Amino acid sequence: MTGVVNLETRQAIQQFLDGNFTSLESLGLVEELLKEEERTHAQLEREVEEACDAAKTVSAEATNIANSVHEQAMGLIDVHSQLVESAGNESSWEFRDGTEVMELVSALAAELQKHQKLRQAKQYIDAFIAVKQISEQAERSLERDGQGVLSAYGSAVALLANEQEEPGATISSAQYLHEYAKETVREIWTSAERAASDKQSESLHKMGWPGRVEPSAADLQQFGSSFAVLAGLDRIARDAYDILERNGIAQHSRDEAPLALQHMARQVDIRMRYHFESARGTSRADRPEWWLGQILGMVRSLVPLLELHVQRLHDGSGLGELDVRNEFIRLVLPIVQRKLARDRPAYIDNGLVVAQVVRELNEFERTLQEVYFYDGAGVLDDLLWDDDVFGAWVDAERSAAMEAYVEDSAQPDAFVQLYEDSMVDADHPKPSRIAHRAVQLVVGIADRYAAVPSCMRRLQMLSTAQFPVMIALIEDIEMQLDEFSRVSLAFLRDATDGTISATQSPIVVRLQRLATWYQTAWYVEDAVRDWNDQAMYVDMWAAVCRHAAGSADPRDWRDSCDDWDESDRRVLDDTDGSVDDKWLDGGIWERTVTTLNGLKQRALQLMVQAVCKDVVGQLRAFRKKSSWASQGFDTDISPELSSLLPELAQLVGLLSSLLPFVAAVHVLRSLAAEIDTFVVDRVATAHSFNACGGQQLAIDVDCIERILLSSASGSALRTSSGRVLAKAVECTRVLACPLDDSEQVGDMALALYEWGPVILDKAADDAEAAALVRKLGICHLGVGQVRQLVRCRVDFIASYDNQSA
């Protein structure tokens, strides 16, 4: 049987090799030397047997001598007792010659001492022979009789147990014999475990593992035999654990997994070390799917054997209840931990690899739990709570995202619309390239850390890696809007002199820029709103609210994020904790949504300002028209509007294509209100009119109104009166109203001579004048404005003044 090779043995082996194999030619003597050694070994075996026989003979003789001495001593004791009885109180040792008595006592003591030594020698030899016989039994049974090995191991352990029960036992009192007994126990355990595990491995390979396991009856029998030996060793070691531990040779604790399962897991470990923990090309930290897939494949191939065969063997082994499938998976996970620890420096050097490892590891553990019903602890949490590894991942995500964003935002086409108008419906945002890129970056980060189970770690990733991208985009939009407000509005029409086409017009270019910023903010806002409703972010918001616990505004959670510790982790990750309901309507992205909506409204307002300023600027010629009191009028528009109307039509169509319906309606309503006010304040009430001039103004207003209504949003521009320029239209009704019934009244219920004096009469009651205005169908102009318009009717005022005079 193979024993422990000590230093002296190694030296002897080295000397033997050096003395017999000094050259290559000497290797030809191997066969002869082997035969010589076999003869020597046989001779030594015979000598050992003769020594054992001699030891037995000596032991028998020593036993006879000891018995003889014992009988003589007992006889002397009887004689002494008789003498004492016959002499009464007199000393029984008072012979005529005292020297004979002393010689007798000395001889008796010497015989007793000799007896004791012989007895100890016999016990020592008996113990040595017992240990030797146990060792030989184990060696003989090692290959063919598993139960014999178990019997030998049990006997060897029993010898050590007897020592503990008998403090004066021979083995425990003889140091070298005691060490020999312990060494024998170790050797039997080691040899039996090795032989059984080798047979178990051999049977597994015969079954087809690590591929698909297809066992035959002979394979299962061989596997069962080796399993029985390992289970027997396990059981004996557990039962005698206290004894073995006191002797310093405890091979297996009560809490350890069964030996058979340990050796099955070791087969996985061997392949892992060979393929993925060596210098081979497959040992790559950036390919976790390789080694995790390999482990999962080996587990998959063994699970049927574990469930159908190993579980039954274990249940009959007397080792207690155990789910062998679950226990085997638990034994495999330390292999995963060791691989992760080995690759840890690579994770710290390249944090983005951690994302891939986390994703694959999460999928690996999910498969173990859902497919193989593993209910133990995993290893993902240990990896994520390594601050150096997680910190490297967060830093790498932030750096990569910001680098990509900065690179893309520096491109000339960063805010250029990504898709053509025909590809996106008007009521859906049309993203710019930078908006699309920013959303992609944030979503990509979220996808990579979605496998992280801890809300605290997710929040740290959100705060450190995702929010900076959104902040950078918001700052870029703000900068663009600030620059536009500072420069563009001041020089909206710089030296165009009417020769630049509509598509090249500065207002068109500026509106396109503003629309792009609006669409950018809108697209990202829609994306962020969607994120706010996703389960992952809802859970994160609930964790933040739970952490605030009513004492603070949870929206300020980023202020303390960097200082979170283990106590914060327990609160944030406690999914059963209570949450303040008043905050649940918000969301983790609430402030981002608010900011983006504000940018969107600001861009929209700048569009209103730009359009209104441009249109009003072109209406200056219309305002400066020399006379509205002509003797006749054409059905054509005023010449002063000829340059405005085509561009106004272009602007209206452009706004409808650039903006969604609601936004376009907002801009066009603001533009209509600006034109309406301009016509009333700068044209209708600022010039002198006769009925023909009023009719000309009505034609011009109607033309402008039809252009505004021609857009896709036109129907939403009508007021309660059904008109877009309600005040301007009412102005034209007053200014075009016929003087008396001899003229065609048109849509006015009364001629101007019938109601004009009432409006101009200072003594008239205001309520009566207001009622009259409403009776005329004028609802949007006040009495004062109507009075002012009447005074602008020079054809009426001249006769009215004469009559008044």
Side-chain angles (χ1 to χ4, degrees), residues 11 65 114 149 184 196 205 226 259 350 354-356 490 540 599 633 650 714 745:
Q11 292 175 348
I65 294 173
K114 182 178 179 181
V149 175
T184 300
H205 288 300
S226 59
L259 279 175
N350 184 5
V354 181
Q356 187 177 1
M540 292 162 70
L599 291 175
F633 70 93
Q650 178 74 13
V745 176

Side-chain angles (χ1 to χ4, degrees), residues 467 470-471 474 525 528 532 541 552-559 583 586-599:
F467 277 169
M470 288 290 101
I471 292 172
I474 289 170
E525 180 194 3
V528 173
N532 228 17
W541 177 243
D553 189 338
R555 293 173 297 183
D556 298 327
W557 64 273
R558 290 190 69 202
D559 297 341
W583 293 109
I588 204 75
W589 292 97
E590 179 181 355
R591 286 184 171 173
T592 306
V593 171
T594 302
T595 302
L596 288 166
N597 185 64
L599 291 175

Side-chain angles (χ1 to χ4, degrees), residues 74-86 92-93:
M74 294 303 295
L76 290 173
I77 291 172
D78 291 340
V79 171
H80 176 266
S81 298
Q82 292 174 4
L83 290 175
V84 170
E85 291 176 359
S86 62
S92 59
W93 299 104

Side-chain angles (χ1 to χ4, degrees), residues 109 155 168 258 340 366 397 400 725 759 777 784:
S155 300
L340 293 173
R366 188 180 64 83
E397 289 284 5
L725 305 176
I759 296 297

Side-chain angles (χ1 to χ4, degrees), residues 503-711:
T503 56
Q504 296 174 322
S505 171
I507 183 61
V508 173
V509 174
R510 285 166 172 76
L511 285 178
Q512 289 174 339
R513 290 174 59 195
L514 286 168
T516 300
W517 300 330
Y518 176 90
Q519 295 281 356
T520 297
W522 182 24
Y523 177 78
V524 179
E525 180 194 3
D526 271 11
V528 173
R529 288 185 186 275
D530 289 341
W531 299 339
N532 228 17
D533 296 332
Q534 290 177 6
M536 182 178 73
Y537 292 115
V538 170
D539 291 342
M540 292 162 70
W541 177 243
V544 168
C545 294
R546 185 166 55 247
H547 184 262
S551 61
D553 189 338
R555 293 173 297 183
D556 298 327
W557 64 273
R558 290 190 69 202
D559 297 341
S560 60
C561 179
D562 294 337
D563 300 325
W564 284 344
D565 55 19
E566 184 62 28
S567 60
D568 298 295
R569 174 191 175 184
R570 288 193 292 270
V571 175
L572 290 165
D573 292 347
D574 180 16
T575 55
D576 297 327
S578 60
V579 181
D580 191 349
D581 293 343
K582 73 177 183 179
W583 293 109
L584 288 182
D585 290 338
I588 204 75
W589 292 97
E590 179 181 355
R591 286 184 171 173
T592 306
V593 171
T594 302
T595 302
L596 288 166
N597 185 64
L599 291 175
K600 186 176 68 173
Q601 298 306 319
R602 184 183 175 191
L604 196 62
Q605 189 58 35
L606 286 174
M607 294 181 75
V608 170
Q609 294 177 22
V611 170
C612 291
K613 186 173 183 178
D614 181 77
V615 172
V616 168
Q618 294 186 72
L619 284 172
R620 288 176 185 155
F622 187 61
R623 176 174 64 86
K624 294 179 180 180
K625 185 174 180 179
S626 59
S627 175
W628 288 94
S630 58
Q631 296 303 314
F633 70 93
D634 297 327
T635 56
D636 294 334
I637 61 173
S638 299
E640 291 80 3
L641 290 179
S642 59
S643 62
L644 167 66
L645 295 182
E647 188 164 344
L648 179 60
Q650 178 74 13
L651 286 178
V652 170
L654 181 65
L655 289 171
S656 298
S657 65
L658 291 178
L659 296 174
F661 180 82
V662 174
V665 168
H666 174 77
V667 176
L668 291 174
R669 277 181 176 173
S670 300
L671 176 59
E674 188 72 18
I675 294 174
D676 205 16
T677 302
F678 182 88
V679 171
V680 173
D681 296 342
R682 301 295 184 89
V683 179
T685 59
H687 292 80
S688 298
F689 287 83
N690 59 16
C692 291
Q695 292 175 2
Q696 181 63 55
L697 180 61
I699 292 173
D700 293 341
V701 169
D702 183 67
C703 187
I704 295 174
E705 192 175 51
R706 279 189 283 110
I707 290 176
L708 293 175
L709 288 171
S710 65
S711 69

Side-chain angles (χ1 to χ4, degrees), residues 232-449:
L233 290 172
D234 203 346
R235 185 175 57 255
I236 296 171
R238 292 187 185 193
D239 293 342
Y241 178 76
D242 294 336
I243 297 169
L244 296 173
E245 186 180 31
R246 282 195 294 269
N247 284 275
I249 54 173
Q251 289 106 348
H252 199 64
S253 69
R254 296 187 179 97
D255 299 329
E256 287 188 64
L259 279 175
L261 292 180
Q262 288 189 32
H263 285 290
M264 293 178 73
R266 194 167 299 161
Q267 298 300 312
V268 178
D269 186 37
I270 291 172
R271 284 159 178 77
M272 273 296 297
R273 290 179 185 273
Y274 177 76
H275 291 289
F276 303 106
E277 298 181 35
S278 62
R280 298 176 64 85
T282 52
S283 182
R284 293 177 55 178
D286 62 340
R287 291 291 187 176
E289 65 275 14
W290 287 1
W291 57 273
L292 287 172
Q294 184 74 7
I295 292 177
L296 201 59
M298 288 187 281
V299 170
R300 185 184 301 111
S301 64
L302 276 179
V303 163
L305 181 68
L306 291 169
E307 293 176 338
L308 300 176
H309 191 64
V310 178
Q311 184 68 60
R312 178 176 54 81
L313 293 175
H314 177 82
D315 293 343
S317 66
L319 293 176
E321 294 184 0
L322 182 70
D323 184 344
V324 296
R325 178 192 58 234
N326 201 68
E327 185 67 13
F328 176 75
I329 294 174
R330 188 185 67 81
L331 291 172
V332 169
L333 291 182
I335 303 172
V336 177
Q337 289 178 315
R338 188 186 67 238
K339 172 62 175 173
L340 293 173
R342 185 178 188 273
D343 292 340
R344 183 175 182 271
Y347 300 155
I348 295 176
D349 289 341
N350 184 5
L352 292 179
V353 174
V354 181
Q356 187 177 1
V357 174
V358 169
R359 183 180 66 252
E360 295 296 335
L361 199 56
N362 179 71
E363 184 66 22
F364 173 79
E365 291 188 352
R366 188 180 64 83
T367 301
L368 293 181
Q369 294 164 359
E370 296 181 2
V371 178
Y372 303 113
F373 307 103
Y374 175 66
D375 59 2
V379 299
L380 179 57
D381 278 345
D382 294 337
L383 177 67
L384 292 174
W385 289 106
D386 185 328
D387 290 335
D388 292 336
V389 172
F390 187 77
W393 181 17
V394 173
D395 292 341
E397 289 284 5
R398 181 184 63 249
S399 298
M402 290 307 300
E403 181 179 350
Y405 177 82
V406 170
E407 180 180 354
D408 289 345
S409 63
Q411 299 299 318
D413 60 349
F415 282 95
V416 172
Q417 184 174 307
L418 186 61
Y419 306 116
E420 296 181 1
D421 292 339
S422 59
M423 297 177 63
V424 182
D425 185 79
D427 291 330
H428 292 84
K430 304 177 180 68
S432 61
R433 294 183 183 277
I434 194 61
H436 186 262
R437 183 59 170 154
V439 170
Q440 274 188 327
L441 290 172
V442 174
V443 171
I445 295 172
D447 289 342
R448 287 189 288 276
Y449 76 74

